[in-house]
Amino acid sequence: MTKVTKNDLKGIEKKDEGGITRRVFTRGALSAALAAPLLANPAFVRQLQAMDFSGKKLTVMINQPHAGSIDPLSAGFAELTGATVEGVTVPYDQLRAQATLDVVSGTNSYDVFEYFYVDVEAMVADNVLADVTDRIEAAKDEIDPDDFIGSLYDTYTLVNGRRYGLPYDGDTHVLFYNQELLDSVGAKPPKTWDDYAAVAKAITEKEQANGKYGALIMAKQIPIILCSSYANRLGGHGGNFMENGAPSLTSDAAIAAAQSLLDAAPHAAPTPLETEFGNSIPNFLGGQAGMIEFWTDMGTWAEDPGQSKIVGKWGVVPMPLGSGNTVHRPAMNAGFGFGASTGSKNLDMSWEFVKMASSKEFHLSVLTNNKTGVDPTRTSAIPAYKEFAPKQGDVVEKAISDAFPWPRNPESPELMQALTDELGLMLSGSKSAEQAMADAQAAWEKILG
C-alpha cells in the first residue's frame, strides 16, 4: 500500500461523544495515493469505471477496530466515483444499536453499515439492512460468491433465503505465544486447555514480579469479547452453543469450557474482566504476556518493528483442545459485513460501495495492509496472504475455513448478552462454572420462549 504521510491528509476528522469518529474524503491527492494499487488493477477499474457519483456524499458506519480501513475504503471509492465519502467509526459494542436507532428514528444519516454477523437477523427483523439479493444475482459473475471462504458467505449475509450484505472481514481466533516467556519455564505451546492453564501459571509465578504474566485473557463484559474467549474453549471441548435448535449450555462440554476459563483466569494479567481488544494489544506486543487468544492480524502487528518488541520472538498455533476432543473447532469470533441502509437516499451508490468493499481486488489490498484490521474472506486471496504473513498463513487458513458460527437468530444479541452476564459473574467469583451455565441455559430458554 502506498505510504501516505500526515501532511498528505486532506480529510477532516471529528470525534463525537461516545468515541464516534468522522472522517470526510473528497477526490484528490490522498485518495489517488491510497487508491493507486487498485487503479493499477485493470479488473477493478473496469468494475467501477462507468460509475460517476460526483457531487454526492456517502456516509458509512465502520467498526472502530477497522479505523485503519477508512482511508482505503473512502479514498478508493472517492477516486473512482467522484463521491465525497464520510467514514464514521463506532465502538464495536455499539454497531447494531447505533444502526438500528438511525433507521428506526427516521434520522437516516448513514448510507452503509458495517455489521457483526451475529446481529444480521436482528437488524433484518428491524428493517435496518436493505435486501440486496437481486443486486447480487445481477452481478454474480463479478462478485463470485463461490470465492468466499467456507461458510462465511451464508453466515454473514443470508436470512430466510434472502441476502442483506457482503462479507468484509473474516474473523476467528488463533493462539499467539511469546517464545521467550515459554522458554523461560521450559514450556511448549499448549495443545490442551489444561496445558494452557499450566503454562500460564508457570510463567506468572516466575515473571509476575517483572510485570509479566502467563496469559492475556480478554473477558471484558461485552459479548464480542468475553463470549469469544468462552467460544474458543467451547469449540476446544467439542461443544456447541445450541443443539437441534435448543440451547446446550449445560452440556458437559459447555460446563468444561467455562471451567477452563475460570481455571486460567488467576494466572492472567490483571484483570481479565477489564481486558479487551484495545488494551491487550500493546501488552502482548510489548512482551508482557506469554499467550493471547486473538484475531489473526496480531501476527502481522507482531512482526512490525514500528509497534512490536517481540519481532521474531513469537509463534502461533491452533486453539487448544479439551475433554478428549481431538478435532480443532475454532469459533467464528466476530466477523463483519457491509450492508446498505434501508434509509439510504441513494441505494444504488450504497450498493456500489458494498460491492467494492467485498470485491476480490479490494479485499486483497486491505488484507495485505496491516493497518486495516482485515482478515481473510476470499479463497483467491489466501496465496497472497500467506506471502504477506508467512508465519501464520497456514494456521489462519485452517482456522477461518473450519470456524463454527455463534447463534444467529433474531434473539442472538440478547442471548449472547445473557451469557456474557453469567460468565462475568463466574469470573468475579459470584458463581461456579456449573451455576453460571445453568443460569445462562435458563436465560436462553426464557428468551427463546
Side-chain angles (χ1 to χ4, degrees):
M1 179 65 70
T2 303
K3 183 176 181 180
V4 180
T5 68
K6 291 182 179 180
N7 290 332
D8 294 324
L9 293 177
K10 305 298 182 184
I12 301 171
E13 188 172 316
K14 176 184 177 183
K15 181 169 283 189
D16 300 329
E17 292 184 4
I20 297 174
T21 302
R22 298 173 179 269
R23 185 176 296 164
V24 180
F25 285 87
T26 58
R27 201 170 196 161
L30 173 63
S31 56
L34 289 170
L38 297 172
L39 292 170
N41 188 312
F44 190 78
V45 173
R46 284 196 301 273
Q47 174 186 333
L48 297 174
Q49 63 185 356
M51 299 188 331
D52 185 1
F53 295 121
S54 298
K56 297 184 182 298
K57 177 183 174 181
L58 186 79
T59 304
V60 184
M61 179 184 290
I62 296 176
N63 182 21
Q64 181 65 51
H66 292 158
S69 288
I70 294 179
D71 289 7
L73 281 167
S74 301
F77 197 69
E79 180 64 26
L80 291 165
T81 70
T84 298
V85 182
E86 181 178 21
V88 183
T89 58
V90 172
Y92 48 76
D93 59 330
Q94 297 180 28
L95 284 172
R96 180 179 64 87
Q98 292 279 355
T100 303
L101 178 63
D102 185 65
V103 173
V104 172
S105 68
T107 304
N108 295 325
S109 57
Y110 294 96
D111 297 290
V112 175
F113 298 121
E114 186 175 12
Y115 61 86
F116 178 21
Y117 79 86
V118 171
D119 296 335
V120 65
E121 291 201 20
M123 293 174 74
V124 169
D126 288 333
N127 195 35
V128 175
L129 294 174
D131 185 335
V132 293
T133 309
D134 296 338
R135 294 176 183 268
I136 291 173
E137 192 61 30
K140 197 168 184 177
D141 289 344
E142 180 183 330
I143 294 169
D144 192 6
D146 292 340
D147 186 52
F148 289 114
I149 296 169
S151 65
L152 292 187
Y153 183 49
D154 285 352
T155 301
Y156 285 27
T157 71
L158 190 64
V159 179
N160 297 325
R162 306 293 291 179
R163 298 194 186 273
Y164 293 86
L166 289 171
Y168 179 65
D169 177 36
D171 278 328
T172 185
H173 279 185
V174 289
L175 183 66
F176 295 95
Y177 61 90
N178 182 316
Q179 187 67 64
E180 286 190 331
L181 289 179
L182 264 64
D183 287 347
S184 73
V185 296
K188 295 181 179 180
K191 293 184 178 180
T192 70
W193 285 111
D194 287 343
D195 293 342
Y196 172 94
V199 172
K201 182 176 185 290
I203 293 173
T204 295
E205 289 179 347
K206 183 176 186 297
E207 298 287 350
Q208 185 173 1
N210 299 318
K212 298 179 181 180
Y213 297 85
L216 283 162
I217 296 178
M218 297 189 295
K220 190 167 184 178
Q221 288 176 261
I222 301 169
I224 204 170
I225 297 299
L226 181 47
C227 287
S228 289
S229 295
Y230 175 74
N232 292 335
R233 290 156 178 81
L234 181 65
H237 284 276
N240 292 293
F241 288 106
M242 303 182 78
E243 295 281 359
N244 299 317
S248 57
L249 299 180
T250 52
S251 69
D252 290 345
I255 294 172
Q259 189 64 52
S260 290
L261 187 59
L262 189 60
D263 290 345
H267 315 303
T271 167
L273 286 171
E274 296 177 2
T275 303
E276 43 85 29
F277 179 87
N279 60 19
S280 63
I281 297 170
N283 283 334
F284 186 72
L285 296 183
Q288 296 166 278
M291 298 175 290
I292 185 171
E293 308 144 54
F294 206 83
W295 289 278
T296 57
D297 39 17
M298 177 64 83
T300 62
W301 301 333
E303 278 300 283
D304 181 355
Q307 55 185 323
S308 172
K309 295 182 180 179
I310 58 171
V311 175
K313 302 174 183 178
W314 62 277
V316 59
V317 291
M319 280 295 149
L321 303 170
S323 301
N325 178 37
T326 59
V327 179
H328 288 287
R329 297 182 62 249
M332 199 177 286
N333 295 332
F336 298 87
F338 275 116
S341 169
T342 55
S344 174
K345 297 178 178 62
N346 194 327
L347 281 174
D348 288 341
M349 182 167 62
S350 299
W351 163 243
E352 293 297 344
F353 182 91
V354 171
K355 188 172 63 169
M356 180 202 79
S358 71
S359 68
K360 292 181 181 180
E361 297 80 16
F362 191 85
H363 177 62
L364 185 61
S365 73
V366 292
L367 179 64
T368 53
N369 173 357
N370 71 353
K371 307 299 184 186
T372 62
V374 171
D375 299 308
T377 62
R378 285 188 173 272
T379 302
S380 59
I382 291 295
Y385 179 73
K386 288 183 177 180
E387 184 176 346
F388 173 69
K391 201 168 182 177
Q392 68 193 52
D394 289 339
V395 175
V396 171
E397 180 185 16
K398 179 65 174 174
I400 194 63
S401 297
D402 294 341
F404 71 94
W406 297 9
R408 209 188 55 119
N409 47 4
E411 299 85 6
S412 289
E414 190 177 358
L415 296 177
M416 301 314 290
Q417 185 60 59
L419 177 57
T420 299
D421 293 342
E422 293 301 328
L423 291 171
L425 290 170
M426 178 191 75
L427 289 170
S428 70
S430 299
K431 295 185 179 184
S432 66
E434 292 84 353
Q435 188 61 57
M437 298 315 294
D439 291 346
Q441 174 82 10
W444 280 33
E445 290 174 349
K446 182 177 180 180
I447 291 168
L448 293 171

